[in-house]
Amino acid sequence: MDNRDGLSRRTMLHLSAVAAGSVILANCSPQQTGGTDSGDKSEGPVSDALKGSKTEPMPIPAKFSESPELATLVKSGELPPVEERLPDKPYVIPHNWVKPGKYGGVISTVTGDSESGTHAEFMYGHSLLRWLNDGQDIAPGLVESWESNADATEWTLHFRSGVKWSDGEPWTTADIMFWWEDMVLNEDHPEVPPDEAKSGTGTLMKMTAPDDLTISMSFDAPAPLTADRLAMWVKRGNGPGWMEPKHYMKQFHPKYTKGVPKDWATEKGEFDKKRVWARNPDCPVLTGWKCGSYAEGKKVVYERNPYYWCVTPDGAQLPYLDKLVFNVVENPEVQKLQATEGKINFLYAGFTSIFLSDISTLKQTEDQTKLRVNLWDAGDGSGSLVFFNQDYREPKMRELIRNAKFRQALSHAYNREDVQKAVYFNTGELTTGTMSPKGIEFHVNDEGKQVYKSWRDSYLEYDPELAKKILDEIGVVDKDGDGKREMPDGTKLRVHLDYHADSAPEHVQKNELLARDWQAIGIDAKLNPVAPDGYGDQWRFGKLMTNTNWETGDGPNCLVYPQWMVPIESSRWAPLQGEFYNVRGTPAEKQEKDVDPYERTPPRMEPEPGGPIERLWKLYDQSKIEPDEMKRHQLVWEMVKIHITDGPWLLGVCANTPYIVLVHDDMKNVPTKENLALGGFAAPWIHPTPAVYDPETWYWENPDQHVEGGAA
């Protein structure tokens, strides 16, 4: 998901704080993250290790060590020895910044929601493959090795031998087939096939398990992005499940257990309640920590998994930390107090309401709290966006919205520098609105770099006079002399800046500045807060004109999660046309042909023949079945060119702004921006942060001083 509302602060950012905030941010470079403004020389989280992660397979350690608490259980006979709990070939952490650590201690932090999947974003343990080096490389995970045929229609996954669930039961491919056959393919269960289960033509794969450690996937057309998609998201977290502990879950499934109630697969049924391992202490996991206790709306505690299948290069079974404690704090001001009063000992701001405007306050309390401000790159294509609904229900306004000149004029009327200064403290790079500047397609060669630059700068220049000239040319002029421009036919023109009524102030303040800029060229622009309940339905039915409270977070390449690039679903800039893409090739494509597009089930409409969306679809369809990576990059460049000539569809502000990480002086192995291959890639959910940096390797220099604690 791309909405970063959870990150953004909820206290109004005052313009008077901008100058001070900019100075503070300047002092938060990687080299100075561990220090303070007063000259403190504490090393903090900064490491002198090499940048990035090794991509070659790491050697298996000759011997293994374990937590003292687990060693005690082994000695008493309650646990088997560590060698028997680990797989034959454990995953060896390849990060260059990781050093040998110490066992013990607790991370105590805050989060805004006990029901969300944010806790799982700390744990990569269920993932089949893993992204390394900020998404530039794909590495083994549970899958030890994999291969495909030349045209990427056949994929074979070879899993590690000896992996065990947290209750000690063996993991096998039966756990994947249970998910696939008894959930995904079971019409009684709502689980849907993930992207990686479909070929480039959208047809469902055929999956078999030849043995306990092998999965074979067969597609009717090339599926070249399979490996990327097996690495993205957190499996059994914010992403698709891909497995369930069959030995535990089958007791709640009617196929395996008699007497299971008929509502087993509904919200009232036990099946889906029991499978949510982040809230159910009884549900086995493969992650470094397992749920120890769950108090809804208060606290969630995760305890060490004695069977975790990952180790350090010197053979230490991970995790080092005994527990993760998430204190649920919905109030943004209380979250900030927890940090400034030292009631927590770590914080990843992406899951809170702490934002860049809070850095000054956080820096002022560093000496007392020992929480140092660390910054990771977001890697996003833009912070707070504006995008018009290309399928807006009112015909005349829809026609104007679809006129590229209208959107180009509004882009040139947008003073992005003001927003960058007021909201993002002069961080990031100004942009018209694009996919991620860190996208692989934009760094593969000089042509890719130029394509990105052309897109970024296409309608970036702040030029109100040019904006007025373009509007005049398309007949959007002030016909009645009231200072406001009308539509070409003389009717009133009003632009609604629609947003969730509970949106973070980041979005609201941006909207206020944007409305000011558009009003200055004669556009009657008004802020329109909308109740969050039903917002999504109003959007996909074409009832909302704009969406102004999202950001473009996307993956390490533009095709692994292309919804911002190409309308293929109903939540982004062309919802009804995106929905039509989903029914192509199905019986629904030819149904309801005589029904108004807005009254169809689901609402959907065909794109204009030969128009930009149809051209984007054709290029995207080619990319899905193109096994040659360079040719896929070139297809992306062609899509970008359509965004330039027929856009902009995304009105961004600035890309790649920082994410705050508060790291205690005593905590080690937390990477700094300088340790990371690209400085971080924190914004996209599909590149799960901080899981990709393996928090299981983090440790306390003095673990006895960081035991059970934190505010409840």
Side-chain angles (χ1 to χ4, degrees), residues 485-499:
R485 294 174 182 266
E486 279 77 44
M487 290 192 177
D489 68 350
T491 57
K492 291 292 184 182
L493 168 62
R494 172 171 289 182
V495 172
H496 299 283
L497 296 176
D498 303 315
Y499 60 96

Side-chain angles (χ1 to χ4, degrees), residues 4-5 18 41 265 397 405-406 432 442 538 542 704 707:
R4 282 178 4 201
D5 280 351
V18 169
K41 303 301 181 182
M397 190 64 200
K405 292 292 185 181
F406 177 67
T432 296
F442 306 134
Q538 290 190 64
D704 291 344
V707 293

Side-chain angles (χ1 to χ4, degrees), residues 198-204 562 566-569 576-591 593 600-608 611-625:
K198 300 175 183 177
S199 74
T201 61
T203 307
L204 207 60
V566 189
I568 57 174
E569 45 79 66
L576 275 76
Q577 295 174 82
E579 193 62 65
F580 192 87
Y581 183 91
N582 282 329
V583 303
R584 291 187 316 163
T586 71
E589 181 178 5
K590 300 186 183 302
Q591 295 171 357
K593 298 281 281 187
R600 294 172 180 170
T601 304
R604 61 192 185 277
M605 68 170 63
E606 295 182 69
E608 174 190 352
I613 290 180
E614 185 179 80
R615 303 199 315 270
L616 286 169
W617 283 2
K618 287 180 178 178
L619 291 167
Y620 177 57
D621 288 344
Q622 286 179 255
S623 76
K624 291 194 296 182
I625 59 173

